[in-house]
Amino acid sequence: MMKADRVMKTLTALAIVLSFPALALGQAPAVPASFLITPGRGIGPVRLGMTVEQVRAALGHEAGTTADPITGTTVLNWKTAGAGRFGVWFSDGKAVNVAINRDPRYATAQGLRDGDSADKVRGVMGAPPDTGSLPSMTLGRLEVLHYPGILFYIPSGAKDATLDGKVYSIIVAAAPTDVAAPPVQTQPAPPAQPAPPVQTQPAPPAQPAPPVQTQPAPPAQPAPRVQIQPAPGSPAVIVPGQSIGAVRLGMTLADVTGLFGAATEIVRSRDGTVTHWWLDASKRQGFGAQVSSGKRLDRLSIMNDASYVTATGLRVGSSEAEIRAALGPPTAVNIDAKSQRETLRYDDLGAWFEIQLDKQSPAFATVVAIDVLATSGGTTAPAAPSPSRPPESGRP
């Protein structure tokens, strides 16, 4: 009888162990297939290579769509439980990246999920073959841990300090990979592209010497008036919502003319606003100041001058990808077909970036002008009007 009791206790203990294999072996519990993150393959029912129709069949209709004119990708996103976001990037009609933000129901087979610490990721995956870093307006700086077919994005210095040091977003891409679409945004930006080389205007061809005149030379003409220096003073810094160089929002027109002389051109728009421009006519390079009814500056612009730069390194010549990587998605995007300009508006920051859309221009797909305005967030008017003659598309 005692022997039978021992056998029964042994079988019971074995049954308990077998009923909790993940706990007994120190492994993560099995993840349901609908929430499984598989490096190099997909997340849940969505697989790399799927068409838009196939993804919609799995997830339903998307909550939002973004078309990126530079990379040619289309981003579809869905809301998940809580604050979660599910995103899929398409190129040539096929899914090339799949991402999940802030939804811990989704996990890898090893149990890695949103909210895990960076140390846990490294403990499970080992040292990442590559790492990266991206700035974010709300998440401070994002550390990117690159592993074959999967990337983990971890914020530090976030406005919500509880997010720091923990996985915020997981992105699956083809393995091996060097680039993935940025995380955290419902309309993520494409990977940053290097700025194109600074364009220079070619020197005019040498002209043959004129023949010797038999007529006496005309009397000497007075020297032409010295050109106004178009740059808006030092320091060569753009401060969104505040200033460009020495010119600040709220200054009077008299303040500016006292520093730089009279404007070279004045543009009046249909809505009654007036913009004064100080330009180097040979390069169509310089700055503008829009004057409000109170004779104070309420918008500043820098055009075709790459020497002025923001604290995040943005300037004339930056690409749209670089802007989105540094500042996140814009408040709004305006496209003016007539001027062939796209304006990325960051109203809460106080900065607009005008991008050249003319494919014939050497500055195509790069910033040709930056506008600084107050951070009211309610502005809906287009960017400050350009001078009467369109600026040269090439940068100085």
Side-chain angles (χ1 to χ4, degrees), residues 347-389:
D347 293 344
D348 55 346
L349 187 64
W352 293 3
F353 299 85
E354 299 181 45
I355 296 173
Q356 176 63 258
L357 298 182
D358 182 1
K359 293 184 178 180
Q360 303 303 314
S361 168
F364 171 62
T366 66
V367 174
V368 292
I370 299 175
D371 305 306
V372 168
L373 61 163
T375 58
S376 62
T379 306
T380 57
S386 297
S388 55
R389 297 188 302 276

Side-chain angles (χ1 to χ4, degrees), residues 167-370:
V167 176
Y168 186 92
S169 181
I170 300 175
I171 294 182
V172 169
T177 182
D178 294 321
V179 177
V184 309
Q185 311 296 345
T186 60
Q187 298 179 358
Q193 302 295 323
V198 174
Q199 301 291 333
T200 57
Q201 297 296 328
Q207 300 297 323
V212 176
Q213 299 289 334
T214 58
Q215 299 296 324
Q221 298 297 320
R225 183 172 61 89
V226 176
Q227 284 279 354
I228 294 174
Q229 171 61 32
S234 60
V237 175
I238 300 170
V239 182
Q242 296 186 35
S243 61
I244 300 177
V247 183
R248 303 179 63 86
L249 295 175
M251 292 176 70
T252 66
L253 181 61
D255 293 332
V256 183
T257 56
L259 291 172
F260 304 103
T264 59
E265 295 188 31
I266 299 176
V267 178
R268 290 176 170 82
S269 62
R270 292 181 179 179
D271 63 2
T273 58
V274 180
T275 302
H276 297 251
W277 287 93
W278 287 259
L279 297 171
D280 180 333
S282 64
K283 301 177 182 177
R284 306 302 292 165
Q285 167 190 317
F287 72 99
Q290 179 177 291
V291 182
S292 66
S293 58
K295 300 300 181 183
R296 294 191 176 274
L297 311 186
D298 58 12
R299 184 177 300 161
L300 310 175
S301 302
I302 189 76
M303 181 171 67
N304 289 337
D305 189 339
S307 61
Y308 287 78
V309 62
T310 70
T312 54
L314 301 176
R315 64 180 76 210
V316 166
S318 294
S319 68
E320 179 172 352
E322 289 173 322
I323 296 169
R324 289 176 178 267
L327 304 178
T331 307
V333 178
N334 294 340
I335 295 179
D336 187 333
K338 183 177 180 180
S339 65
Q340 297 192 70
R341 294 282 183 89
E342 175 189 50
T343 302
L344 303 184
R345 291 174 36 185
Y346 290 85
D347 293 344
D348 55 346
L349 187 64
W352 293 3
F353 299 85
E354 299 181 45
I355 296 173
Q356 176 63 258
L357 298 182
D358 182 1
K359 293 184 178 180
Q360 303 303 314
S361 168
F364 171 62
T366 66
V367 174
V368 292
I370 299 175

Side-chain angles (χ1 to χ4, degrees), residues 141-159:
R141 183 157 291 275
L142 290 161
E143 179 186 19
V144 186
L145 306 182
H146 295 245
Y147 295 93
I150 189 168
L151 298 94
F152 299 85
Y153 289 76
I154 300 163
S156 61
K159 290 183 178 180

Side-chain angles (χ1 to χ4, degrees), residues 2-40:
M2 293 180 62
K3 182 177 180 180
D5 288 342
R6 287 196 299 270
V7 171
M8 182 60 69
K9 290 179 180 179
T10 300
L11 292 175
T12 301
L14 180 59
I16 292 173
V17 171
L18 292 176
S19 66
F20 299 100
L23 298 179
L25 298 176
Q27 298 174 348
V31 180
S34 57
F35 298 110
L36 182 62
I37 301 173
T38 307

Side-chain angles (χ1 to χ4, degrees), residues 89-189:
W89 287 255
F90 292 90
S91 179
D92 296 326
K94 302 291 185 180
V96 293
N97 290 303
V98 185
I100 187 67
N101 286 11
R102 303 197 69 182
D103 193 331
R105 296 177 302 166
Y106 293 84
T108 67
Q110 298 95 336
L112 296 176
R113 64 190 72 226
D114 289 344
D116 283 344
S117 68
D119 289 341
K120 181 177 178 180
V121 175
R122 290 187 173 92
V124 172
M125 302 290 291
D130 193 14
T131 60
S133 180
L134 290 172
S136 168
M137 293 183 65
T138 58
L139 299 174
R141 183 157 291 275
L142 290 161
E143 179 186 19
V144 186
L145 306 182
H146 295 245
Y147 295 93
I150 189 168
L151 298 94
F152 299 85
Y153 289 76
I154 300 163
S156 61
K159 290 183 178 180
D160 181 356
T162 62
L163 301 175
D164 288 346
K166 300 175 183 177
V167 176
Y168 186 92
S169 181
I170 300 175
I171 294 182
V172 169
T177 182
D178 294 321
V179 177
V184 309
Q185 311 296 345
T186 60
Q187 298 179 358

Side-chain angles (χ1 to χ4, degrees), residues 23-60:
L23 298 179
L25 298 176
Q27 298 174 348
V31 180
S34 57
F35 298 110
L36 182 62
I37 301 173
T38 307
R41 293 188 60 191
I43 299 177
V46 178
R47 291 288 182 266
L48 299 179
M50 277 186 169
T51 64
V52 174
E53 291 74 16
Q54 289 172 326
V55 176
R56 284 175 177 161
L59 300 179

